[in-house]
Amino acid sequence: MLEQNGANKQIVHMDLDTFFVSVERLLNSSLEGKPVLIGGTSSRGVVASCSYETRRYGVHSGMPMKMARQLCPEASVVRGNSMNYTKYSKMVTDIVTESVPVLEKTSIDEFYADLSGMDRFFGTYQFALELQKRVKNETGLPISFGLSANKTVSKVATGEGKPYGHRLVEHGTEKPFLAPLSVKKIPMVGAVTYKTLSQLGIAKIKTLQEMPMDMMERVFGKNGIDIWNKANGIDNRPVKPYHERKSISTERTFERDTIDVHKLKNLITAMTENLAFQLRRGNKLTACVAVKIRYSDFSTHSLQRHIPYTSADHLLLSVVHELFEKLYHRRMLVRLVGVRFSHLVGGGYQINLFEDSEEMMNLYQAMDHIRNRYGDTAVRRASGMEARTIGRMINPFSGAPPELLANRKG
């Protein structure tokens, strides 16, 4: 059992194994034990998830579907259903929520829980084992977990325990546990960072542990310190209580009421682009779009539409503009317009789970990279350039209020 003291937490990380594939196998038992690809079924589609049977052929998530099918031609290709994944994610979330004192849900299939102090009643490792079995028995979904003193080590331990396994890292053994592993295993080490580390001759975490922290800082800046700490099993981040965001929105109240339709369309274009970027930055997808108009007589009208889960500008813009056209029929002066996305779900697939092409995903990733570096409005469509201001934006996925907000004059 992990030793409990004021400085030592007991954090469990839980991750559903090949979640989309596992759900599809529950719904279609003929897929059990066979190679499975989930994603866009066209030759230009992208792999959203794949079974362990396909990975021995070099297949991985995010790979073009055409390439995946060439590597593993015997794989069954399933387009997938977002509603089914949302349903099963909620089932697991409900089970874990009622079982643990503090839960943080980081995606549709991944959780952290703080079990500190629970060993006064029963062993935390045994508790995690029983929770793992309960999830499997009640939902049919395999889930793996890692248990240690912090988030980083627990997440790495989960990966080492998969599939449908578990790994306990005792307090004080974090560094030797991490040492023989590849630096790829460190959370936040992506392809670019890994390439730089490889060029420096750093392949194993043990090498990072032995490097001076200031050298890492010189190479990677502030991120170098974070990587060095994680490599040494140091991570003081708390488990943040889980509160699912239901919607994000933004509104704009005009200083002078307007009937300029061109101006209104430019503004809702800019609003939609910005909200879509906020979704992707927060790894969220929306399934419901709404547009609101308030006229000069203060009468307020809105329309909404349910759509397949997405966070792609081009899909959301077409719906927003169609709703606006249906809504704006009184030809009166407009006092306020607003756009809202609701029915949000989490997930690491930033554009569309099953339909977007590799080219479209690359385009959005490039645009978002520029926005992250130079500001939210650094890249905009020409049709939204004339919108001088959008509204005061609050990131809804970092503890801010759930509405992106709100009534800025100007």
Side-chain angles (χ1 to χ4, degrees):
M1 185 188 303
L2 289 171
E3 176 185 307
Q4 173 64 28
N5 58 50
N8 181 38
K9 292 285 188 179
Q10 298 182 45
I11 308 297
V12 65
H13 172 265
M14 308 189 78
D15 192 3
L16 289 158
D17 299 331
T18 57
F19 176 51
F20 296 164
V21 173
S22 296
V23 171
E24 296 299 335
R25 284 173 169 169
L26 281 179
L27 302 174
N28 182 0
S29 60
S30 68
L31 297 174
E32 194 66 45
K34 298 179 180 177
V36 179
L37 300 171
I38 310 289
T41 54
S42 72
S43 61
R44 301 182 68 190
V46 177
V47 176
S49 182
C50 56
S51 67
Y52 287 107
E53 292 82 0
T54 67
R55 297 183 185 184
R56 67 182 66 141
Y57 297 96
V59 177
H60 58 79
S61 299
M63 172 181 285
M65 184 62 74
K66 183 178 181 179
M67 181 183 297
R69 296 174 84 164
Q70 289 173 345
L71 291 172
C72 188
E74 65 269 33
S76 299
V77 180
V78 181
R79 184 177 179 275
N81 185 307
S82 297
M83 297 302 291
N84 289 335
Y85 306 146
T86 302
K87 171 187 171 183
Y88 278 95
S89 175
K90 185 178 185 304
M91 290 170 60
V92 176
T93 303
D94 289 344
I95 292 171
V96 181
T97 299
E98 70 179 37
S99 304
V100 303
V102 183
L103 173 71
E104 178 180 344
K105 183 176 180 179
T106 57
S107 75
I108 196 170
D109 59 356
E110 191 173 2
F111 312 85
Y112 288 100
D114 190 340
L115 307 183
S116 303
M118 293 182 68
D119 58 331
R120 286 176 291 181
F121 307 100
F122 36 69
T124 49
Y125 184 55
Q126 184 61 37
F127 173 86
L129 282 170
E130 292 174 2
L131 180 56
Q132 180 188 42
K133 292 175 184 176
R134 182 184 170 194
V135 169
K136 184 67 164 65
N137 291 338
E138 296 187 19
T139 70
L141 296 172
I143 191 168
S144 299
F145 76 85
L147 180 64
S148 77
N150 64 61
K151 283 182 168 182
T152 292
V153 177
S154 293
K155 183 177 177 68
V156 175
T158 300
E160 294 303 292
K162 281 178 172 285
Y164 193 46
H166 44 81
R167 187 71 180 264
L168 168 66
V169 181
E170 296 277 5
H171 178 58
T173 66
E174 294 87 358
K175 285 185 66 172
F177 162 70
L178 294 170
L181 303 178
S182 167
V183 291
K184 285 183 179 179
K185 302 280 187 175
I186 302 174
M188 82 179 282
V189 172
V192 175
T193 302
Y194 176 70
K195 182 178 180 181
T196 304
L197 290 170
S198 298
Q199 290 171 345
L200 294 172
I202 301 171
K204 301 294 184 182
I205 293 179
K206 186 176 190 298
T207 309
L208 271 182
Q209 293 174 345
E210 295 170 347
M211 289 181 63
M213 182 194 291
D214 59 353
M215 181 181 296
M216 287 294 293
E217 185 177 13
R218 285 198 301 272
V219 177
F220 297 102
K222 183 181 177 182
N223 284 342
I225 298 176
D226 291 338
I227 295 171
W228 187 90
N229 281 329
K230 286 178 167 58
N232 282 275
I234 301 168
D235 183 358
N236 297 319
R237 293 174 299 156
V239 172
K240 298 178 181 178
Y242 164 67
H243 299 289
E244 185 67 84
R245 297 296 185 187
K246 299 302 182 184
S247 68
I248 59 171
S249 65
T250 185
E251 297 176 352
R252 166 83 177 279
T253 300
F254 301 108
E255 181 136 344
R256 294 181 181 178
D257 298 349
T258 182
I259 200 171
D260 186 339
V261 177
H262 181 69
K263 175 180 179 179
L264 293 172
K265 289 183 177 179
N266 283 340
L267 180 59
I268 64 170
T269 294
M271 285 178 166
T272 303
E273 279 192 299
N274 194 281
L275 287 175
F277 171 57
Q278 302 296 339
L279 284 178
R280 296 193 295 272
R281 183 157 63 182
N283 286 333
K284 297 286 184 178
L285 304 166
T286 180
C288 187
V289 176
V291 174
K292 179 168 75 171
I293 295 178
R294 180 171 296 150
Y295 294 100
S296 56
D297 62 356
F298 284 89
S299 61
T300 305
H301 304 267
S302 63
L303 280 176
Q304 70 176 33
R305 175 183 296 174
H306 291 274
I307 61 173
Y309 283 107
T310 188
S311 60
D313 299 11
H314 66 288
L315 300 175
L316 294 166
L317 280 167
S318 64
V319 177
V320 167
H321 282 284
E322 188 174 338
L323 291 174
F324 177 81
E325 293 291 344
K326 291 181 178 180
L327 197 59
Y328 182 60
H329 56 82
R330 298 183 62 186
R331 305 308 170 193
M332 290 177 57
L333 289 168
V334 172
R335 175 181 177 82
L336 173 149
V337 292
V339 177
R340 176 171 59 90
F341 300 155
S342 59
H343 294 60
L344 307 184
V345 297
Y349 304 96
Q350 295 183 334
I351 312 300
N352 184 288
L353 284 173
F354 311 115
E355 294 185 353
D356 285 315
S357 67
E358 182 185 12
E359 293 89 343
M360 186 63 69
M361 291 185 70
N362 289 338
L363 173 62
Y364 278 107
Q365 288 169 0
M367 291 167 61
D368 290 349
H369 175 74
I370 294 171
R371 287 169 175 151
N372 281 319
R373 186 168 183 178
Y374 298 107
D376 291 8
T377 59
V379 180
R380 296 164 69 176
R381 278 174 169 76
S383 57
M385 289 293 290
E386 295 180 27
R388 215 164 28 89
T389 59
I390 302 170
R392 184 168 62 90
M393 292 294 172
I394 301 172
N395 183 353
F397 309 120
S398 60
E403 296 297 313
L404 259 189
L405 165 2
N407 284 346
R408 178 171 177 176
K409 296 276 188 179

